[in-house]
Amino acid sequence: MMVKIFDVSMRIEEGMPVYKNKPEKQPNIRVVQDFDTAPARESRIDIDVHTGTHVDSPLHMLPEGGTMETLPLERLVRPCRVLDLTGVDGGITQADLEKFEIRSGEFLLLKTKNSFKDEFDFEFVYLAEDGARYLAEKKIDGVGIDALGIERSQPGHPTHKTLFRADILIIEGLRLKEVPEGNYFMVAAPIKLVHTEAAPARVILLQGIGE
């Protein structure tokens, strides 16, 4: 059985794309000990928990929401489906999603034009409020997108809140350029942080499992 591995995570490095290009969101990586003064090399990193590919917990938008340790890993290591939405500009709406025959319990990854841009785009494709309501009505289990935010320019953050209130998990910052539309087995492993509203994650997709 041939299993193909797609690493759909962003590289974490200084100068990487960060939300709205804010300097304070850049990771700071420095060597604190090197071979000129010690027998081993060690580095230290200062990083925002929403850096690169990451998983949000409900506390990100809901004061009563749960933190990262409330998200069962079983919901992030599971089958998923990549939807090709590369023809969409602006917000992904219910009309854009209806053609995919979405089923209850699915984990969906939204592949858009975002995956073909290496720099932060202030006009990135996002999930519109009515698209989020549609996914909530369909009772999906989770959704990921290839943008550093699942929404933009929506006062009150209705997309996040609609998804969280429907107990839908959110992954942001995916890189899906090389991934064809279809079914995969996903391993999305957020750093094991506690008491936070997000955590960086290494996300891989496996094609060929069970075939």
Side-chain angles (χ1 to χ4, degrees):
M1 178 179 64
M2 290 293 295
V3 176
K4 187 169 184 178
I5 298 174
F6 294 92
D7 185 345
V8 295
S9 314
M10 293 178 68
R11 289 162 54 115
I12 295 180
E13 57 189 336
E14 294 180 354
M16 67 181 289
V18 294
Y19 192 71
K20 293 187 175 179
N21 291 334
K22 294 181 178 180
E24 65 270 21
K25 289 190 173 293
Q26 279 289 335
N28 178 19
I29 305 169
R30 68 185 192 278
V31 177
V32 295
Q33 175 181 294
D34 210 344
F35 296 110
D36 55 348
T37 58
R41 189 177 196 266
E42 295 183 5
S43 301
R44 187 175 183 86
I45 183 168
D46 179 9
I47 190 172
D48 189 296
V49 294
H50 299 268
T51 297
T53 309
H54 62 279
V55 178
D56 284 343
S57 80
L59 183 64
H60 180 38
M61 290 291 171
L62 305 178
E64 71 281 8
T67 51
M68 284 304 297
E69 70 271 21
T70 68
L71 307 184
L73 197 56
E74 291 80 4
R75 294 183 64 188
L76 291 161
V77 179
R78 49 156 303 149
C80 72
R81 180 158 61 119
V82 174
L83 307 184
D84 189 340
L85 291 152
T86 53
V88 175
D89 291 307
I92 299 168
T93 65
Q94 174 174 338
D96 296 316
L97 295 167
E98 285 177 334
K99 63 182 179 181
F100 292 104
E101 299 182 0
I102 293 167
R103 301 178 296 276
S104 173
E106 283 197 283
F107 204 116
L108 304 175
L109 305 184
L110 311 181
K111 177 180 179 178
T112 76
K113 294 177 179 177
N114 301 328
S115 280
F116 297 83
K117 298 180 180 180
D118 295 326
E119 70 285 344
F120 181 79
D121 180 4
F122 282 83
E123 299 299 316
F124 64 85
V125 179
Y126 64 99
L127 179 61
E129 181 180 1
D130 77 316
R133 286 199 305 267
Y134 179 69
L135 295 182
E137 291 167 4
K138 287 293 184 179
K139 295 181 171 27
I140 69 165
D141 196 46
V143 62
I145 194 168
D146 52 3
L148 287 170
I150 200 162
E151 65 184 314
R152 66 169 170 86
S153 305
Q154 295 189 133
H157 305 289
T159 290
H160 273 94
K161 291 177 180 177
T162 296
L163 296 173
F164 284 141
R165 286 171 178 152
D167 193 28
I168 296 172
L169 300 188
I170 298 173
I171 303 175
E172 297 172 326
L174 296 168
R175 298 282 80 195
L176 299 169
K177 179 180 178 180
E178 306 298 331
V179 183
E181 181 175 275
N183 297 309
Y184 298 86
F185 189 88
M186 177 177 71
V187 179
I191 295 173
K192 203 170 183 177
L193 293 175
V194 296
H195 311 313
T196 62
E197 78 295 338
R202 187 71 176 264
V203 182
I204 63 172
L205 303 181
L206 305 176
Q207 184 182 52
I209 295 289
E211 294 180 2

